[in-house]
Amino acid sequence: MSTHAVRLESAGAAVTVISTEQAVTDWSARYFGTWWKATEADPASVCTGALVTAGVDNREYDAIALAVTQSPHTSTTYARARLLLATDASGGVIRAVSPEGALAYRAEPGMPRLDVVGCRTEDVATATARLAREMVRGLLLRDGWSVLHASAVVQDGRTVLTFGGKGAGKTTTALALASRHGLSLLANDRVFVRPGERGGVDVLPWPSAAAVGLGLLEALGWFETARERMEAGEALHPTQDERVTEALLAGDSTPLWERGKELKAQVFPDQFTSWFGVPLATEGEAAALVFPRIEAGAAPAVEETSRVLGAADFMSGATEDRYPDVFALLGVDGGGTVAARENVAQRLAELPHHSVLLGHDMAANADFLGKVTGLAA
């Protein structure tokens, strides 16, 4: 049986994904290949460095699941799914199983290796990419990077970082600038940042599927493109709620809500370019900070009340609700060391800050934001 491998690299941090299923390595190559460097590797030559192995094997999954459930274990939530964890105190091995996803894991803290086994190829591919990203995150954090909760667009290396909680307008700001002014998208929700050698702050992408509301897709002029692509047999990310898929195929751009949370389209990174013509950036240097607020019917304007970067704008182990470090892959706090975050915050405080009010007119938003940030005439 042949084995396939892909090497993922960003800023000197590298992880190799190995699997007998080419669909698994292809998934990682697609997911990270535009924002991070992804290259095919010779599996026989991979003997050192961080490694994620992945397989589709029902028997192996059953064996690990049995070992976990028959041992003392705890229950937590990881990637929005229930995860049972069992740690061998003497050997230090962490085993885990996600029953709903039919996924099992094996990790040895201190060893740069994690094994993923499951029963369905797509689930294994998705989990493998997620854990490979976590391994890269650990390498970057230990090298002095930290993680900001922000979107980012780039023009000639100059990067605009946009901050705010859910619904504040991070995605709207980034995509308005990218779609209207041809800026490159560097990240939709999170970025890696580190003090640069020239006195600024370097920025790297956090690859992930991007959540884009149906109304925003329509406002950007992308809704019909997405519908046509899906009718032709292409698909958005599998984490997308089926109700969103149905609405897209039906041509209904009415925003969908469930218990106060908007259900959104889940866009693969490469689909921003192949579907919507938005290029992706692989790095940049922070040039400005934007703090948006969206109000229906509002005309874009500068807010009188200014906002500054705060501790809550950084990710941390305490705020990491989707991907807690259950497999001990990071070695430091999930958002970076305190010193790294403080250093970045001091440098970002010296950059222009823009608190802005935005409406629902994407053309007006984009033109206003371009002028305010100086990234477009």
Side-chain angles (χ1 to χ4, degrees):
M1 183 179 295
S2 59
T3 304
H4 309 274
V6 61
R7 180 178 172 87
L8 312 172
E9 295 182 76
S10 181
V15 170
T16 302
V17 174
I18 294 182
S19 179
T20 55
E21 302 286 333
Q22 186 171 355
V24 172
T25 53
D26 284 351
W27 185 283
S28 288
R30 177 192 182 186
Y31 203 78
F32 300 116
T34 307
W35 267 326
W36 291 350
K37 181 181 178 182
T39 55
E40 187 176 343
D42 178 6
S45 67
V46 179
C47 55
T48 60
L51 181 67
V52 179
T53 71
V56 179
D57 188 321
N58 289 22
R59 290 186 178 181
E60 182 65 16
Y61 165 78
D62 289 341
I64 298 177
L66 183 63
V68 171
T69 54
Q70 290 191 338
S71 303
H73 61 272
T74 59
S75 178
T76 188
T77 299
Y78 187 83
R80 298 191 175 95
R82 184 168 61 103
L83 187 73
L84 306 180
L85 282 159
T87 301
D88 180 348
S90 59
V93 176
I94 299 173
R95 292 181 175 85
V97 60
S98 176
E100 290 82 2
L103 291 164
Y105 308 90
R106 182 183 184 279
E108 294 182 50
M111 296 290 290
R113 172 171 175 154
L114 186 138
D115 304 318
V116 182
V117 179
C119 301
R120 297 181 292 269
T121 300
E122 186 175 270
D123 292 336
V124 171
T126 304
T128 298
R130 182 184 302 122
L131 270 302
R133 183 179 60 196
E134 286 301 280
M135 294 189 82
V136 171
R137 171 160 56 155
L139 293 169
L140 290 173
L141 295 182
R142 295 194 295 275
D143 196 31
W145 295 85
S146 52
V147 182
L148 280 173
H149 188 201
S151 67
V153 289
V154 178
Q155 182 185 69
D156 299 327
R158 299 177 63 234
T159 304
V160 170
L161 297 168
T162 304
F163 299 88
K166 293 183 184 300
K170 292 193 305 299
T171 300
T172 296
T173 298
L175 297 185
L177 283 167
S179 64
R180 183 81 172 179
H181 298 296
L183 275 64
S184 299
L185 181 66
L186 188 138
N188 174 65
D189 188 61
R190 304 183 188 191
V191 291
F192 291 99
V193 286
R194 185 176 71 174
E197 296 180 355
R198 297 180 296 177
V201 174
D202 294 334
V203 188
L204 294 175
W206 167 287
S208 68
V212 184
L214 295 175
L216 181 55
L217 281 177
E218 178 68 24
L220 291 165
W222 293 354
F223 187 92
E224 191 61 24
T225 298
R227 187 184 67 81
E228 291 174 354
R229 290 278 190 160
M230 294 175 66
E231 284 184 335
E234 296 183 63
L236 290 162
H237 196 274
T239 56
Q240 178 172 285
D241 192 285
E242 185 61 31
R243 287 167 288 182
V244 175
T245 302
E246 293 171 356
L248 281 163
L249 291 173
D252 184 358
S253 61
T254 305
L256 296 171
W257 296 85
E258 181 180 61
R259 297 172 186 167
K261 177 182 178 182
E262 186 176 5
L263 304 178
K264 299 181 178 182
Q266 301 293 325
V267 182
F268 275 104
D270 66 302
Q271 288 173 333
F272 278 110
T273 303
S274 62
W275 286 25
F276 308 126
V278 173
L280 302 183
T282 59
E283 60 184 359
E285 183 175 338
L289 283 64
V290 175
F291 302 94
R293 180 173 68 87
I294 295 180
E295 184 178 296
V302 174
E303 296 269 57
E304 293 183 4
T305 303
S306 62
R307 166 150 135 47
V308 297
L309 193 70
D313 294 306
F314 285 87
M315 300 302 300
S316 70
T319 60
E320 181 57 273
D321 56 346
R322 278 182 283 178
Y323 313 113
D325 190 22
V326 293
F327 299 111
L329 299 175
L330 304 185
V332 296
D333 183 89
T337 65
V338 172
R341 297 199 297 268
E342 290 178 346
N343 199 345
V344 165
Q346 289 173 1
R347 294 197 183 188
L348 290 178
E350 300 172 0
L351 298 177
H353 288 47
H354 307 287
S355 295
V356 299
L357 172 65
L358 303 176
H360 288 173
D361 185 330
M362 284 301 105
N365 287 342
D367 291 344
F368 168 76
L369 288 165
K371 292 176 181 178
V372 167
T373 60
L375 290 185

